[in-house]
Amino acid sequence: ITSGYQMADPVSRVAPEFPDVMFVIFDAAVDLPNVVSFTHRVNEGTFLVGAIAGLKSKTGKVGYLGGANVPLLHEFEAGYLAGVKAVNPDAEIVKGYIADDQQGFYDPVKGQEIASAQYDNGVDVIYAMADQSGFGAVEAAKLAEDRYVVWNYIDITDVAPGIILTGLRVGIDESAFNVIQEFAAGNLM
């Protein structure tokens, strides 16, 4: 069982070598007989995040911080932007990506740099879909006055003013557990 678009290529290479092994991948599609793929309509959940940001913004400028400039994160971005515009059609949106590949998920220093620049540019709410790099956006929000970051990927034990937690990613553990139960019952193929 694995998760993430970056795992699609490795699963595609390895699964044919082990035809009697069942592979499961979340957030990517691999079309092989021994691979079960689960994708989500991420744009629907992030639409709600965008609506929250659009309603919370006092400056009319909101930001998006993506870890990697890849199609999956473009889906998160699209839903978010649509949600912002649905409740605040005149909102200005400032976007930033940390990297062009998965390394962008592991650079909180760059995440803080981009988030701080967005805040300095008048953005008052940022949606960070950047895994560990999002911690940088959290730090930037803590340092800025009346600035917020919407966070949904990794649990934060030090919730401070400026952090808006959502439950969009909560549940992948339940999904994995359900997959294991279905497999054990012989219902997964």
Side-chain angles (χ1 to χ4, degrees):
I1 297 174
T2 190
S3 177
Y5 74 92
Q6 66 273 28
M7 296 305 295
D9 286 340
V11 168
S12 295
R13 285 192 311 270
V14 173
E17 296 178 29
F18 301 93
D20 296 330
V21 174
M22 177 62 61
F23 291 81
V24 177
I25 185 166
F26 290 92
D27 291 338
V30 175
D31 188 21
L32 291 171
N34 61 331
V35 178
V36 177
S37 302
F38 291 94
T39 58
H40 304 88
R41 294 183 184 120
V42 296
N43 60 321
E44 292 176 4
T46 56
F47 179 92
L48 298 175
V49 171
I52 292 168
L55 292 170
K56 183 72 176 169
S57 179
K58 291 183 176 131
T59 66
K61 290 177 97 172
V62 299
Y64 174 79
L65 177 64
N69 191 359
V70 297
L72 178 61
L73 266 67
H74 297 165
E75 292 179 38
F76 281 93
E77 177 189 329
Y80 174 70
L81 301 183
V84 169
K85 291 294 188 175
V87 300
N88 191 346
D90 297 325
E92 181 181 340
I93 298 155
V94 179
K95 301 181 282 186
Y97 283 92
I98 295 166
D100 289 331
D101 60 21
Q102 66 267 15
Q103 293 307 312
F105 293 117
Y106 309 104
D107 192 347
V109 171
K110 184 77 170 179
Q112 183 171 357
E113 178 184 306
I114 293 170
S116 293
Q118 288 185 7
Y119 290 141
D120 290 345
N121 191 27
V123 166
D124 59 350
V125 182
I126 295 173
Y127 171 44
M129 191 53 179
D131 201 320
Q132 294 173 25
S133 296
F135 282 114
V138 170
E139 289 305 311
K142 287 178 182 178
L143 297 173
E145 188 174 323
D146 292 324
R147 299 294 190 252
Y148 301 90
V149 62
V150 180
W151 183 263
N152 69 343
Y153 202 71
I154 297 173
D155 290 338
I156 297 176
T157 55
D158 180 25
V159 177
I163 312 299
I164 302 169
L165 298 175
T166 69
L168 289 179
R169 295 296 292 193
V170 174
I172 198 162
D173 55 343
E174 289 179 35
S175 296
F177 179 76
N178 291 337
V179 164
I180 293 168
Q181 281 188 316
E182 289 296 314
F183 179 76
N187 298 330
L188 188 64
M189 282 311 255

